[in-house]
Amino acid sequence: MTTSYGAYVGIDWADQKHAVCLLTGEQLERSDVQQEAGALDEWAAELRARFPGQPIAVCLEASRGPLVYALLKYDFLVLFPLNPKQLASYRAAFRPSGGKNDPGDAELLARFLREHYTQLRPWLPDDPITRSLRLLGEARRSWVDQRTAAGNRLLQALKEAYPLALKFLGTYSHGKRFLELLVKFPSQRELQRAAPKLLVQWLNKLHRVADDPPASAATDPRVVAIRQVPVLVTDEAVLRANRLAVLHLATQLQQFNRTIEEYDEQLQELTAQHPDAELFRSFPGAGDALTPRLIAALGSQRERYVSAADLQQLSGIAPVQLQSGKTCLVKKRRACPTFLRQTFHEQARCSLSCCDWAHAYCQMLRARGMGFHAAVRSLAFKWQRIIFRCWQTRQLYDDAKYVAQLHRKQSPIVKFLATNSAK
């Protein structure tokens, strides 16, 4: 059923003032709206008074941001987010010279919406819990990336003038005990000059001692080994700068750890409240980290996707086919939300260790010469169809049921799995 809109509005947004174009029939009106609560309320109230009881279609180049969040409170506005590439191509059709300005872009958005709104999908906002999971999940990933960058800088600083600390590294450069050690002893000189009893206390925190400790801390072989390690760098200028870098990078990583822990607590709390939490936990490889991300990826509006293909294409998991004449190329899809693609890619990769058929499918593709990440994307393509079906029907994933279906269809995965099991 096609919705009849009272007017079509194009908004070219900016930080402080937005260019607005309103189309009613062939009449065109231009205006500016400030990014202020009072100005937006006044503009929306005027539209409601002019078109009582009628929805207003609004097109803009964003699906999030301050303007989108502000417009959500007006229930009569139907938002149509447009990819900037779509507007750029539409603009180039009428302005080959490449010239552009804000009022002109607002008009193009309004005209594009009026002519093609039946081929566009209105933006359906998720419920508050799902939106919170999406925003928190993306922000958490950003903090993790920043922690990784800071950890790499710390490792580089340690390699330059404090290689002794790398012996206590453990698995992660952001480990709690390791960072505490660096904050207490930010240079090799300070570590080697520390009192034996203090060193033993720190070493016992870092590693459990299986044997009985020596009677004297000074004769502890670990303490003796630390004191005998030669100094790599003797240049005071380098040591001074390196000590300060190690101290502040370790302190920064401690703050990153606390920040990420707070995000994790919020995500787990909201995930427990979501009605689809158990559904997404049932998928192999989901776990505590990926369950809220999968919830946010699918959303709460089940009419958003007509089929699994919509999800596969939007997320960038589905490849792009380029065909011209007798030439046909299949390439990785680049134009997609990166975080959304990462979510499904990582879920597929994590499923390899806990799902036999998924592992067999990936190994089968690798045996045919496909690269690892390409094979994981192909697996994610299959998982998306499964996830979409379970999400639509609200049924938990049953691995035994799916494997039985593979047997009924005589899937190559089953044959490959049986062959490798026999070996």
Side-chain angles (χ1 to χ4, degrees):
M1 181 178 178
T2 303
T3 304
S4 177
Y5 296 103
Y8 301 91
V9 177
I11 303 179
D12 188 77
W13 66 275
D15 289 338
Q16 298 179 354
K17 183 174 67 173
H18 315 300
V20 180
C21 177
L22 185 143
L23 287 178
T24 53
E26 293 302 322
Q27 184 178 357
L28 184 149
E29 302 176 20
R30 299 182 189 274
S31 62
D32 292 324
V33 178
Q34 297 290 332
Q35 177 63 22
E36 298 175 356
L40 288 171
D41 286 341
E42 182 180 349
W43 173 74
E46 181 183 348
L47 283 179
R48 190 189 292 272
R50 287 182 59 183
F51 307 96
Q54 294 180 282
I56 306 298
V58 179
C59 188
L60 64 168
E61 291 182 280
S63 59
R64 65 179 68 185
L67 177 58
V68 175
Y69 300 148
L71 295 179
L72 284 177
K73 61 183 177 181
Y74 309 115
D75 56 0
F76 68 99
L77 297 181
V78 182
L79 304 184
F80 289 84
L82 197 67
N83 189 301
K85 288 187 176 181
Q86 292 176 283
L87 178 61
S89 299
Y90 190 66
R91 184 194 305 119
F94 296 97
R95 300 173 186 171
S97 64
K100 67 182 294 294
N101 56 61
D102 292 349
D105 281 355
E107 179 182 347
L108 288 174
L109 286 167
R111 293 190 181 280
F112 185 88
L113 179 60
R114 186 183 63 177
E115 299 298 329
H116 305 285
Y117 75 93
T118 56
Q119 298 171 278
L120 302 175
R121 293 183 185 175
W123 187 61
L124 301 175
D126 293 314
D127 58 62
I129 293 180
T130 305
R131 293 205 307 273
S132 296
L133 288 174
R134 176 174 59 83
L135 294 174
L136 288 171
E138 293 180 1
R140 181 192 180 279
R141 182 56 177 259
S142 176
W143 286 113
V144 169
D145 290 342
Q146 293 181 59
R147 182 177 68 178
T148 301
N152 291 337
R153 291 179 61 193
L154 175 63
L155 292 179
Q156 183 61 33
L158 295 177
K159 291 175 183 178
E160 289 176 357
Y162 193 2
L164 177 57
L166 297 175
K167 295 182 180 296
F168 312 106
L169 179 60
T171 307
Y172 303 106
S173 61
H174 54 267
K176 179 181 178 181
R177 296 298 186 188
F178 177 65
L179 295 176
E180 289 176 351
L181 175 72
L182 293 181
V183 171
K184 184 69 176 179
F185 308 109
S187 69
Q188 181 167 325
R189 181 181 299 171
E190 290 171 277
L191 180 63
Q192 291 179 320
R193 290 179 178 178
K197 288 185 178 180
L198 184 59
L199 272 180
V200 169
Q201 291 177 4
W202 278 98
L203 292 172
N204 290 342
K205 289 179 182 179
L206 289 167
H207 304 287
R208 290 187 177 182
V209 181
D211 302 327
D212 294 333
S216 172
T219 61
D220 190 306
R222 299 170 298 171
V223 175
V224 174
I226 288 174
R227 293 185 181 279
Q228 292 178 348
V229 173
V231 177
L232 178 66
V233 178
T234 58
D235 189 327
E236 286 298 326
V238 174
L239 291 174
R240 186 179 293 109
N242 191 271
R243 179 190 181 279
L244 199 60
V246 169
L247 175 62
H248 287 285
L249 284 170
T251 305
Q252 188 179 42
L253 284 166
Q254 288 179 322
Q255 180 58 52
F256 281 141
N257 285 341
R258 289 191 290 269
T259 300
I260 294 170
E261 287 174 3
E262 291 182 14
Y263 272 89
D264 287 336
E265 290 174 3
Q266 288 285 321
L267 285 167
Q268 294 307 314
E269 180 181 340
L270 290 172
T271 300
Q273 301 174 20
H274 200 281
D276 289 333
E278 289 304 316
L279 187 153
F280 286 101
R281 282 198 187 98
S282 67
F283 297 111
D288 293 337
L290 284 171
T291 295
R293 290 175 59 179
L294 288 172
I295 293 174
L298 274 295
S300 59
Q301 301 288 348
R302 279 175 165 76
E303 62 272 21
R304 175 177 297 163
Y305 303 111
V306 177
S307 65
D310 291 343
L311 176 62
Q312 291 165 333
Q313 293 167 6
L314 175 65
S315 63
I317 295 297
V320 176
Q321 180 175 314
L322 306 176
Q323 192 273 332
S324 177
K326 295 182 179 180
T327 303
C328 182
L329 299 176
V330 177
K331 293 186 176 181
K332 176 183 176 181
R333 190 179 295 265
R334 300 289 181 181
C336 64
T338 303
F339 185 74
L340 185 62
R341 180 171 61 191
Q342 288 174 341
T343 296
F344 290 106
H345 189 97
E346 291 172 12
Q347 183 272 329
R349 187 183 61 191
C350 291
S351 71
L352 296 176
S353 60
C354 53
C355 181
D356 291 338
W357 73 259
H359 183 265
Y361 178 74
C362 191
Q363 289 297 107
M364 182 178 68
L365 296 182
R366 295 298 307 281
R368 295 175 182 174
M370 186 178 290
F372 175 74
H373 288 291
V376 172
R377 279 197 305 274
S378 182
L379 176 61
F381 187 87
K382 292 181 70 66
W383 271 121
Q384 283 183 320
R385 289 188 295 180
I386 298 169
I387 292 172
F388 179 81
R389 179 61 182 271
C390 293
W391 177 65
Q392 286 288 341
T393 59
R394 291 181 167 86
Q395 292 181 349
L396 301 183
Y397 172 75
D398 187 339
D399 194 69
K401 184 177 179 180
Y402 185 74
V403 171
Q405 184 179 0
L406 292 177
H407 279 279
R408 285 195 301 270
K409 293 183 176 180
Q410 298 182 348
S411 170
I413 302 175
V414 176
K415 297 179 182 178
F416 185 87
L417 185 60
T419 302
N420 283 268
S421 298
K423 295 180 181 179

